[in-house]
Structures are given as C-alpha cells and as structure tokens.
Amino acid sequence: MMPMDAPGHANPYPWYASLRQQGDLIYHRPSRCWTGTTAHAVTMLLTHSQSRVRPLDQPTPPPLGQGPAAILFSLLMRMNEGLDHRCPRQALAPSLQDCSALEISRETRRVCTAVLEADGHLELDRAMFHVPVAVVARLLGVRPNLGHRLPTLTADLAAGMAMEADGPAIQRAHLAAQELMWIFTQQLSTQQEPEPLIRPDTNREAGSRIATPKMAANLAGLLLQSHEATAGLVGNTLVTLAQRPALLKRVRQGHVALGEVVDEVARFDAPIQLTRRFIAEECELLGNRLRSGDTVILLLASANRDSEANEDGERFILGRTERRCFSFGIGPHQCPGESVATIIATTTAQLLLQFGRIQPEQLQWHYQASPNARIPLFRQSHRLVSARQAHQAPVTPSHTSQEAP
Ligand code: HEM
C-alpha cells in the first residue's frame, strides 16, 4: 500500500502495525518517501529544526499558479515557518483555545436549526461537512447573510488545493478564494457588536503588525482546517458506535458521555491520519541520513496506536488516564482548534443521534479517497430531523466541563 492510500482504506491499521515493526523511520521505496511510523519518530520529526511544512522550492502547489487561491495559500500560518507562521498564530490561537465550550455547543445547535429552517431536513453527509464550517464562521462573527455561502466556498477551496485537483476544480478554488478574502476583509474592517467569540488579538504585538490580507487569509484558513478533519471526527464517531452495539446502548442510556467516546475516537481512528514534512538540510535522524529536500510522511494514526505511547494502543478504551493523541499534531504547528473541533463534533454527533432518524447499527459506509483525512461517507441519504423536532428537543453539551452556563 502507498502511505497516501491508507487514510481511505477500509482498515489501514494492520499495515501501520507492520510498518512499526520495521522501524521508527523507514524508507518507503514505492513512494520514495521516508515514513515515520512510531510515536518517537513522529515526535522527533514534528519538532525537529530541519523539518519544514512545505517543499523548499514550492511555497505553493504549482498547479495553483499565481491566482487568488495561491495567494491565500501562501499567507496561511499552516504553510509557513518563522514570523509568517508565528504572528498569525499568536494573534489567533489564544482566542480559539479560550473559546467557551458552552457557546460552541450552542452555536452548533443554532446552525443545525438554521439549516432545518432553510431545507426542512438535515442529511447525514451534509451535516458532517457543513455544520463544522458554519459553526466556526458564526464563532468568527460572520453575518448569516454572508455565512450561508461559506461551507460551499470552503469545500471548493479545499478541493482545488488537493493534489489530484483538475483544471475546473482549481478554477472554482480561485473564485472561492477571492470571495473568502472579500468576506473576511470586510469582516476585519467593521466594528462588530457583540464581539465575535473568535477574533484576532490585535492588542498583542504580533497581531497589530499583521496586514489585513494575511489576517483575512488566516481567518479563511480556520474554515479550511475545520472542514474535512471535523467531518472525519463526526463520521468516525458514528462508525465506532455502529461497530460497538454495547457502547451504543450505554450512550443511548446516558451511561457514557459522548464526549468521552469522541476523545478516544480521535486517537483510535484519527480523522487526520498523516502529515508531511520536508528536510531543509542534510541531517542524521534515528540512525538514517536524510538529505535536503527529502519528504517525510508522519503517520499520526500509527503513532496513536504505538504501545510506547498508549498502553494497549490497538484497543478502544474509554477514559484513558494518560491518553497521548497525535491526531492534532504536536510541535510548533500543533492544531490550535482541537477543543473547538472536539466540541463541535460531540454536539453534532449527539444531535444526529438524539433525533434518532439514524440507527448507527444500520449505517453503511465507504471511505472518501483522501491523501490524509479519514472520512466515512454513508451510503444512504439519511433524512434526520424535521424542523419541528429540532426546535423542541433540548441538546445538552456533554463535553463542557470548563464552565457554568
Ligand atoms: C477533528 C478536527 C481536527 C483535526 C484532527 C485537526 C488536526 C490538525 C493537525 C494534525 C494539524 C497540524 C498539521 C501539521 O503540523 O502538519 C492542524 C493544524 C491546524 N489546525 Fe487543526 N484539526 C482539526 C480541526 C481544526 C479546527 C476546528 C480549527 C479551527 C477552528 C483548526 C485549526 C488549525 C490551524 C489554524 C492549524 C495550523 C496551525 C499552525 O500551523 O500553527 N483545526 N490541525
């Protein structure tokens, strides 16, 4: 198997286990990439001074050319090192990390209700992709009259940035980038009342020095980062419940909080299975000589199951006391949206279950082909809720230990 095929494979975990047997960092000849298979290798590479997030000679993917999607891409913290990474991160990460769990959960419910009012029903695959982006847009304070376009624009941008994108997909990505930049530039130039829950901290030295296009691109970047990964976490949670009838029963009876399940799903069946790094200068790593320009694939999903990091790593165990989860990365580029993502995923999954039109045990799925994300697509179109049900039923966040109402 090629590492890039693993996230969309029905069960890549035996293959990951066999790679771990071969070593921490192995050269995978068919893909001509180094592959970090263990917790040790992933930790070392994600924190190493010679690791770069982009190939040295390609700050942006060549197929994007010089258009708006390439410009947006080039400004993202995720795709930069040094000051161009640190400044937007310092301005945005604290606000993401401090965002109130209760508010995130409330916004998730509001988004679902708004979709119901517009469409009369909510479908499973659409809910997984649409809800997280729409919630983050609301947390960023985007007005509903603009916000309703954001999930589609984000999907178009993500599709055009993917390795396998064709000409028409890239064209749609340029149009989406243009519109997203316009929306967030407007957003940044308008005084907003009440203040958005997630906002750039311009009082910090770093924040005050960031030009508007860079900040606008990084706000759009939050939607981009939320899109597939959070859909994967919702979907993998439903798959986990579908495969474990006893656990599903305990969740339905209220004996197990869904938030606990989501925390272990994030480790056990990672929504982002791998990430990549590029070596800046020749160096010795874990007994291997890596050369400038070499590509290293870091198998986050394999590191999660490494028994050196998590005892009995191949077993799904709720309430692990010292869970080590690599799914959100580590080091300077570690995901600042982990708690936002986990709360959105928990509330969305809870909402989907609570309205009861889906029976997880009856779900059928296959995995979306993706070089890094693991996202189940459910075969049937499951019509989930009617607008009346959604308005009436209370949804309680199960992942909100951090604050009182
Ligand atoms: C289940 C959902 C999510 C997963 C599994 C996930 C995973 C990750 C991973 C693995 C990285 C690091 C990539 C690398 O170092 O190569 C990352 C970075 C990032 N994530 Fe997430 N993410 C999720 C949701 C979110 C959400 C909801 C947001 C924002 C609202 C977000 C914002 C970011 C940002 C801004 C970065 C780049 C950070 C930097 O470069 O310093 N993520 N994410």
Side-chain angles (χ1 to χ4, degrees):
M1 180 157 35
M2 301 288 265
M4 300 299 194
D5 295 334
H9 192 275
N11 181 11
Y13 296 105
W15 187 66
Y16 292 153
S18 75
L19 292 182
R20 287 198 301 276
Q21 294 287 319
Q22 293 170 42
D24 292 292
L25 180 63
I26 55 179
Y27 189 71
H28 188 254
R29 217 162 281 284
S31 61
R32 285 192 263 157
C33 290
W34 291 96
T35 306
T37 68
T38 60
H40 182 44
V42 166
T43 305
M44 178 168 270
L45 265 298
L46 287 180
T47 53
H48 198 275
S49 62
Q50 296 304 330
S51 289
R52 299 287 180 273
V53 287
R54 290 292 308 157
L56 303 183
D57 55 347
Q58 281 180 18
T60 56
L64 291 182
Q66 318 244 309
I71 296 170
L72 192 155
F73 187 101
S74 72
L75 297 171
L76 295 175
M77 65 173 106
R78 166 75 184 81
M79 301 302 165
N80 279 287
E81 316 282 355
L83 215 57
D84 290 335
H85 165 246
R86 264 201 318 279
C87 284
R89 186 175 170 106
Q90 280 172 8
L92 280 170
S95 176
L96 274 170
Q97 284 154 349
D98 297 345
C99 197
S100 144
L102 203 72
E103 289 297 340
I104 300 167
S105 199
R106 274 192 194 132
E107 285 301 343
T108 308
R109 167 120 201 255
R110 280 187 199 126
V111 164
C112 290
T113 309
V115 175
L116 291 171
E117 279 169 357
D119 298 355
H121 66 275
L122 188 61
E123 290 182 1
L124 185 46
D125 286 351
R126 177 163 145 77
M128 279 163 42
F129 284 95
H130 178 105
V131 171
V133 174
V135 173
V136 174
R138 289 180 81 127
L139 297 173
L140 288 167
V142 179
R143 289 194 310 277
N145 64 329
L146 292 174
H148 75 281
R149 299 232 341 112
L150 291 181
T152 309
L153 294 174
T154 307
D156 282 353
L157 186 61
M161 286 176 174
M163 282 186 222
E164 66 282 2
D166 59 12
I170 292 174
Q171 206 41 47
R172 281 194 296 277
H174 287 313
L175 294 174
Q178 217 164 11
E179 196 169 337
L180 285 165
M181 287 298 278
W182 183 83
I183 291 173
F184 284 111
T185 304
Q186 295 290 309
Q187 182 83 359
L188 289 167
S189 63
T190 322
Q191 182 74 27
Q192 290 176 285
E193 289 294 337
E195 278 205 340
L197 289 159
I198 302 174
R199 59 185 184 285
D201 185 352
T202 44
N203 292 326
R204 284 175 186 256
E205 200 201 346
S208 63
R209 277 191 278 126
I210 299 176
T212 304
K214 184 177 287 184
M215 193 56 92
N218 276 286
L219 293 179
L222 297 184
L223 304 183
L224 203 57
Q225 295 290 142
S226 311
H227 176 58
E228 290 202 327
T230 318
L233 188 52
V234 174
N236 295 339
T237 300
L238 295 177
V239 165
T240 298
L241 294 173
Q243 292 170 328
R244 291 173 176 73
L247 176 62
L248 176 61
K249 192 168 166 200
R250 286 167 70 208
V251 168
R252 280 189 173 136
Q253 290 170 339
H255 296 152
V256 170
L258 200 55
E260 254 187 78
V261 178
V262 170
D263 285 345
E264 178 66 347
V265 169
R267 180 197 72 83
F268 186 77
D269 200 12
I272 298 294
Q273 298 254 308
L274 57 89
T275 188
R276 290 186 300 163
R277 287 296 185 267
F278 305 89
I279 300 300
E281 280 177 27
E282 183 167 325
C283 56
E284 179 88 13
L285 267 171
L286 296 163
N288 299 286
R289 181 138 294 272
L290 274 67
R291 284 181 302 201
S292 169
D294 279 358
T295 303
V296 189
I297 292 173
L298 298 159
L299 296 175
L300 307 173
S302 175
N304 284 339
R305 289 187 177 214
D306 182 351
S307 56
E308 293 291 318
N310 289 297
E311 204 179 321
D312 251 342
E314 298 279 6
R315 281 186 56 216
F316 185 90
I317 302 176
L318 291 177
R320 285 177 178 271
T321 46
E322 290 179 29
R323 180 181 291 114
R324 283 184 67 200
C325 181
F326 295 87
S327 307
F328 296 91
I330 50 166
H333 288 275
Q334 180 168 2
C335 180
E338 175 173 351
S339 62
V340 173
T342 314
I343 296 160
I344 293 175
T346 303
T347 311
T348 306
Q350 192 175 16
L351 208 53
L352 296 178
L353 287 175
Q354 206 168 351
F355 293 125
R357 291 274 177 101
I358 50 159
Q359 302 290 332
E361 54 275 60
Q362 290 171 11
L363 288 174
Q364 289 185 305
W365 63 89
H366 65 278
Y367 288 92
Q368 176 175 302
S370 162
N372 65 341
R374 182 162 179 80
I375 309 174
L377 298 176
F378 296 97
R379 276 196 199 127
Q380 302 92 344
S381 157
H382 293 271
R383 198 166 174 277
L384 296 170
V385 277
S386 72
R388 226 176 97 220
Q389 279 175 303
H391 281 301
Q392 286 167 355
V395 174
T396 46
S398 59
H399 208 282
T400 53
S401 53
Q402 74 185 51
E403 67 159 50

